[in-house]
Amino acid sequence: MGNLSVLIACVVFLVSLLHEAIATAARTQNGSEAWGYVQVRPKAHMFWWLYRSPYRVENPSKPWPVILWLQGGPGASGVGLGNFQEIGPLNLNLKPRNSTWLRMADLLFVDNPVGTGYSYVEESNLFVKTDEEAATDLTILLEEIFNRIESLQKSPLYIVAESYGGKFAVTLGLSALQAIESGKLKGKLGGVVLGDTWISPEDFVLSWGPLLKDVSRLDNNGVEKANSLAEKIKQQIGDGQYASATNSWAELEGVISRSSSSVDFYNFLLDSGMDSVSLTAAELSQGMAMKRYIRYLSSLGSSPGGDGDIDSLMNGPIKKKLKIIPDNISWGGQADEVFSNLAGDFMRPRINEVDELLAKGVNVTVYNGQLDLICATKGTEAWVDKLKWEGLPSFLKMDRAPLYCGNDILTRGFTKSYKNFHFYWILGAGHFVPVDQACIALNMIGAITESPAASSA
């Protein structure tokens, strides 16, 4: 009976959406998937894709959660990358993913900000230029979806972010909370989860030189060059010169790439496999950084005999399945413009927003891959130390608990929590934790969301 009621709710929801002037939607016949566009502003269209979990467990004391996944970049597609390369039901070769996060929650993927993935703007002046503008668009999208489907309103919403998505997550968390409290958004915010996120660019760039020296990837000369540029970036951020800091960040990545013989920014144990000579500041500041991000994820998701080509998949079979993507829109076609329009906000820190969420009693979880460089654990710990949250001294004094997977005797990570703040250190993982350590990531998200499936597993 439970599955029937969910199906009926899906149908009612989709019918209502189809009658809305600002939204178009479609679904699978069994109601397990729904997707569509919301016009978040005139001529600005955001794409979303909702998966209903086939593993749903009914527990009166623990409501089934829904996860909103926010990809990084900015300009990387959650509908494409997060879905098919990290946590969705199918991998790049459209084969089932055993470690899909659907085992613990329903999943809502979005292509955010507008211009990312299948999302698009009709005029070039409609791209967002700040994290707050992106959060406003996302709040409108959540209102359109949640206010029309009653079963979603009963599920606590967890905003889970990766990389630059963390800056969207904390601004959205505050915006969504305000919308819920004012009655504009029907739902409950379960928490905000920050996975290897770009919350404090200053602390990350300052961590790169010392970290790479400790793992023998830079020598003293390389560290001196890196630290000098990092200090310049710190000064630019302090002076509010965020666009200049973005240019200096690109320059710093080029210096580190050349001095380290192309260390991989998503896993410092690896080479990026790219020609270091080509990593100029101009290329890095826009298209090159995005191409490297997507190429790295694609290399993780591809398998022998599979094409591993995310662009072909999204612009071919998936676009054909979805049916509602405009013919003139190619997946990811506006990504570079998304990135360049946010250049003035790219290096702006969002530590204060984390503090605000904690002060409001929102559950905030941070997780970090041990081998990440771009959002290194060393940098994450540095910005956490800057929190003004009253519980920080107690949190810092606590001991960590080790994490294991099933009957595995190997230590896979550590965690500790105090009140509404939680931290996970994930061993053996780089920037993309759900890919590098799928088992521990699935256990972790089950614990964070208090999924009834976690307690029954």
Side-chain angles (χ1 to χ4, degrees), residues 165-332:
K167 296 182 69 187
F168 298 138
V170 293
T171 48
L172 171 60
L174 292 170
S175 176
L177 196 63
Q178 186 178 29
I180 290 168
E181 290 171 349
S182 67
K184 290 183 179 178
L185 173 59
K186 296 177 182 178
K188 175 189 176 185
L189 182 61
V192 174
V193 185
L194 307 172
D196 294 78
T197 52
W198 191 243
I199 293 295
S200 179
E202 171 188 316
D203 288 303
F204 290 119
V205 298
L206 287 169
S207 76
W208 292 349
L211 172 60
L212 292 175
K213 176 66 164 59
D214 286 346
V215 297
S216 304
R217 203 65 205 236
L218 287 180
D219 63 5
N220 286 331
N221 292 337
V223 169
E224 188 176 338
K225 293 175 187 174
N227 287 350
S228 175
L229 259 175
E231 288 295 335
K232 177 183 177 181
I233 291 169
K234 178 181 178 180
Q235 184 67 46
Q236 288 171 327
I237 292 173
D239 293 341
Q241 299 173 353
Y242 297 114
S244 297
T246 299
N247 291 330
S248 297
W249 158 81
E251 185 183 351
L252 174 57
E253 286 207 347
V255 165
I256 285 179
S257 293
R258 290 188 290 274
S259 299
S260 65
S261 186
S262 296
V263 68
D264 197 296
F265 274 86
Y266 303 117
N267 185 326
F268 62 68
L269 295 185
L270 305 175
D271 284 348
S272 69
M274 298 169 68
D275 179 7
S276 60
V277 177
S278 71
L279 296 176
T280 64
E283 289 172 319
L284 272 169
S285 64
Q286 294 184 25
M288 185 57 74
M290 184 62 57
K291 289 182 178 70
R292 185 175 58 206
Y293 180 95
I294 294 174
R295 185 183 297 125
Y296 181 85
L297 249 185
S298 296
S299 72
L300 295 176
S302 59
S303 60
D307 58 16
D309 184 350
I310 186 72
D311 286 280
S312 296
L313 176 68
M314 301 305 290
N315 285 311
I318 300 305
K319 186 174 182 179
K320 185 177 179 181
K321 168 188 172 170
L322 298 174
K323 293 184 171 63
I324 64 171
I325 311 300
D327 291 340
N328 65 328
I329 298 300
S330 63
W331 177 83

Side-chain angles (χ1 to χ4, degrees), residues 407-428:
N407 297 322
D408 196 344
I409 61 171
L410 293 176
T411 305
R412 298 296 183 182
F414 297 92
T415 187
K416 67 177 177 177
S417 300
Y418 182 75
K419 292 187 176 178
N420 56 321
F421 185 65
H422 321 275
F423 200 119
Y424 287 80
W425 292 258
I426 308 300
L427 303 181

Side-chain angles (χ1 to χ4, degrees), residues 73-259:
S77 163
V79 166
L81 303 179
N83 184 2
F84 291 100
Q85 296 190 276
E86 298 194 68
I87 65 169
L90 302 177
N91 65 18
L92 265 184
N93 300 310
L94 303 182
K95 303 293 189 224
R97 176 180 284 109
N98 292 331
S99 58
T100 175
W101 284 11
L102 280 174
R103 291 186 176 274
M104 298 295 171
D106 290 348
L107 295 178
L108 175 60
F109 294 101
V110 295
D111 277 343
N112 160 80
V114 285
T116 300
Y118 291 129
S119 297
Y120 64 98
V121 295
E122 297 177 43
E123 297 175 0
S124 60
N125 64 337
L126 296 174
F127 292 104
V128 302
K129 292 181 171 55
T130 68
D131 302 329
E132 288 102 331
E133 289 177 3
T136 299
D137 284 354
L138 278 167
T139 304
I140 292 169
L141 178 126
L142 289 178
E143 289 171 2
E144 287 300 319
I145 297 174
F146 275 69
N147 292 359
R148 286 174 169 75
I149 181 162
E150 191 175 343
S151 59
L152 273 184
Q153 297 166 20
K154 299 173 183 176
S155 293
L157 170 65
Y158 288 85
I159 303 169
V160 184
E162 183 177 87
S163 201
Y164 196 90
K167 296 182 69 187
F168 298 138
V170 293
T171 48
L172 171 60
L174 292 170
S175 176
L177 196 63
Q178 186 178 29
I180 290 168
E181 290 171 349
S182 67
K184 290 183 179 178
L185 173 59
K186 296 177 182 178
K188 175 189 176 185
L189 182 61
V192 174
V193 185
L194 307 172
D196 294 78
T197 52
W198 191 243
I199 293 295
S200 179
E202 171 188 316
D203 288 303
F204 290 119
V205 298
L206 287 169
S207 76
W208 292 349
L211 172 60
L212 292 175
K213 176 66 164 59
D214 286 346
V215 297
S216 304
R217 203 65 205 236
L218 287 180
D219 63 5
N220 286 331
N221 292 337
V223 169
E224 188 176 338
K225 293 175 187 174
N227 287 350
S228 175
L229 259 175
E231 288 295 335
K232 177 183 177 181
I233 291 169
K234 178 181 178 180
Q235 184 67 46
Q236 288 171 327
I237 292 173
D239 293 341
Q241 299 173 353
Y242 297 114
S244 297
T246 299
N247 291 330
S248 297
W249 158 81
E251 185 183 351
L252 174 57
E253 286 207 347
V255 165
I256 285 179
S257 293
R258 290 188 290 274
S259 299

Side-chain angles (χ1 to χ4, degrees), residues 4-58:
L4 179 60
S5 62
V6 169
L7 178 58
I8 292 171
C10 274
V11 172
V12 171
F13 160 60
L14 289 161
V15 168
S16 67
L17 272 183
L18 287 165
H19 283 84
E20 282 294 314
I22 66 167
T24 56
R27 67 175 180 93
T28 53
Q29 283 190 331
N30 63 3
S32 63
E33 301 172 36
W35 58 87
Y37 278 103
V38 172
Q39 185 172 274
V40 291
R41 283 173 283 124
K43 299 185 178 181
H45 310 269
M46 188 176 290
F47 185 79
W48 58 272
W49 193 342
L50 173 67
Y51 290 87
R52 291 297 203 169
S53 174
Y55 309 98
R56 188 184 186 96
V57 174
E58 297 296 344

